[in-house]
Amino acid sequence: MSRLEIRPIRKLDAEFAVPGDKSISHRGIMLGGLASGTTRLRGFLPGEDCLSTLHAMQALGCRIDRVAPDEVLIEGRAGKLLPPAEPIDCGNSGTTIRLLSGIVAGFPFTTRLFGDASLTRRPMKRIAEPLRQFGAELICEGAGDRPPLTLRGNNLRAIHFTSQVSSAQVKSCVLLAALQAAGKTVFTEPSLSRDHTERLLPAFGASLRNENKSIILHGPQRLEGTELDVPGDFSSAAFWMVLAAGLPGSKLTLRHVGLNPTRTALISALLRMGAGIMEKVEQPTPEPLGTITIVGGNGLKATQVAGKEIPNLIDEIPILAVAAALAEGTTEIRDAAELRHKESDRLAVITKNLRLFGVPVEEKPDGLLIEGGCPLVGAEVDSHGDHRIAMSAAILGLLAKGKTVVRDTACIETSYPGFAKQIAALQELGR
Ligand code: S3P
């Protein structure tokens, strides 16, 4: 089984870029496959999750060429996908299965979508309900509305749907189905989740609008191929941001990174904690991107994170918990029960791993109380098959005293190919 062995580093003085944004790469492939004409994605993330989406769209008849490791050319099918010859493997990727469901719901053939053990545990009722309202036939084969999913597409009718969770995957599934549904679809969510789909649809020629905190899309609509420059993934940058914030005397510059405000609430949380961070937007549309500079070692203090901020740092909570472990006082994370439905039960796994590093943590049904400032001691921990847990544990290892071993790290490939190499390079520089 793959593992990472980590020794602490004393300083960090570096400038680099992280690989492409996972959410934008998924959407670029899917929208490009539906569009007419060619779409070029530069800075595509060649992680396993996005490759699941790439293979899925190929299985639905799209020609997709990888002209470079991080560049793809997609020949769109002008809204006419083909029936897949076999069930489609979505791997570990919730984004693939939920967004693809919204796409195939509009096609008059049967698609079966399945995934690995972790994906098979993830709830699908949240997308099954709206897709059935649109008129699609959908069976969740797993107990409690879990995958595999079998969908039979139909002529869809537009819906008005209010989601109980702030989830960009649910929102995107609904918007993708709405593109193919006759009439006016209105989508509402409790608070704003990441808005990549709303930003990218107009780049592919679609029109939609916001009205009274809802999104309105009139279907059916056709998409036109385009060229997209995918920014670096803020969620990947987050690991290095917390590392730099926690190391006295460090300076880190991250270039060409996504700065979409629905993704960057970690910056606000770290600023409240006293970290030295500057962001500079260099390109505003369709996706804001720019440079982040972090100057470390100001001494962090505890904060509270709850409510509307949660969806905008949902993937960063494992690494925010590392910052909390370094901060003086007790950091409180609330309203984050969604974390129990990610690649692992992240509230349970963060609690378990932080305790192994010597951090006192109280697990709540919807959050965590993390008492920071205790000495961190290197530990042997498990990723529980969850990429963000594995990478957060590796960062703890760079900050803790003694040796750390992170077991089962192959999952890192889902979102951050090259992470282990980056760790090795920083260890070399920071001895
Ligand atoms: C994603 C949305 C988020 C996030 C996931 C990627 C997306 O999930 O956790 O890693 O690309 O839409 P939810 O929207 O379900 O919270």
Side-chain angles (χ1 to χ4, degrees), residues 42-88:
R42 289 195 191 83
F44 169 76
L45 172 68
E48 284 170 359
D49 275 10
C50 299
L51 294 177
S52 293
T53 289
L54 187 152
H55 295 140
M57 292 306 285
Q58 285 175 328
L60 292 164
C62 303
R63 173 155 182 207
I64 307 178
D65 292 319
R66 288 185 64 188
V67 291
D70 65 348
E71 186 169 333
V72 290
L73 267 186
I74 308 151
E75 281 308 320
R77 291 209 48 88
K80 293 195 181 66
L81 298 181
L82 301 178
E86 295 174 348
I88 293 177

Side-chain angles (χ1 to χ4, degrees), residues 123-187:
M124 294 296 144
K125 189 173 175 194
R126 53 186 63 196
I127 58 153
E129 279 181 352
L131 291 180
R132 287 184 186 127
Q133 286 178 31
F134 272 113
E137 291 169 41
L138 188 153
I139 298 166
C140 302
E141 295 173 31
D145 294 302
R146 289 182 159 73
L149 306 180
T150 299
L151 288 110
R152 168 112 202 130
N154 262 324
N155 284 329
L156 304 185
R157 296 172 306 276
I159 62 169
H160 289 208
F161 185 74
T162 300
S163 176
Q164 299 305 306
V165 279
S166 292
S167 158
Q169 294 180 349
V170 173
K171 173 169 61 181
S172 305
C173 170
V174 169
L175 293 177
L176 289 166
L179 271 185
Q180 308 167 78
K184 174 181 170 185
T185 290
V186 182
F187 176 85

Side-chain angles (χ1 to χ4, degrees), residues 131-281:
L131 291 180
R132 287 184 186 127
Q133 286 178 31
F134 272 113
E137 291 169 41
L138 188 153
I139 298 166
C140 302
E141 295 173 31
D145 294 302
R146 289 182 159 73
L149 306 180
T150 299
L151 288 110
R152 168 112 202 130
N154 262 324
N155 284 329
L156 304 185
R157 296 172 306 276
I159 62 169
H160 289 208
F161 185 74
T162 300
S163 176
Q164 299 305 306
V165 279
S166 292
S167 158
Q169 294 180 349
V170 173
K171 173 169 61 181
S172 305
C173 170
V174 169
L175 293 177
L176 289 166
L179 271 185
Q180 308 167 78
K184 174 181 170 185
T185 290
V186 182
F187 176 85
T188 313
E189 60 184 339
S191 71
L192 183 62
S193 64
R194 64 185 68 188
D195 64 359
H196 301 301
T197 304
E198 300 95 297
R199 285 176 184 268
L200 292 181
L201 277 171
F204 282 87
S207 67
L208 69 172
R209 65 176 202 275
N210 281 300
E211 205 175 281
N212 298 330
K213 297 196 173 171
S214 296
I215 302 165
I216 297 174
L217 191 151
H218 288 268
Q221 289 192 38
R222 286 290 161 93
L223 305 179
E224 297 278 343
T226 189
E227 300 218 344
L228 277 183
D229 184 12
V230 180
D233 198 320
F234 181 84
S235 299
S236 299
F239 299 105
W240 313 119
M241 288 166 59
V242 169
L243 176 63
L247 277 176
S250 62
K251 178 157 189 249
L252 175 65
T253 304
L254 296 164
R255 282 179 277 100
H256 198 264
V257 63
L259 292 171
N260 179 321
T262 61
R263 292 284 298 280
T264 54
L266 177 74
I267 294 184
S268 317
L270 289 175
L271 285 171
R272 290 200 300 276
M273 296 173 91
I277 305 186
M278 268 174 29
E279 60 174 306
K280 185 162 173 262
V281 175

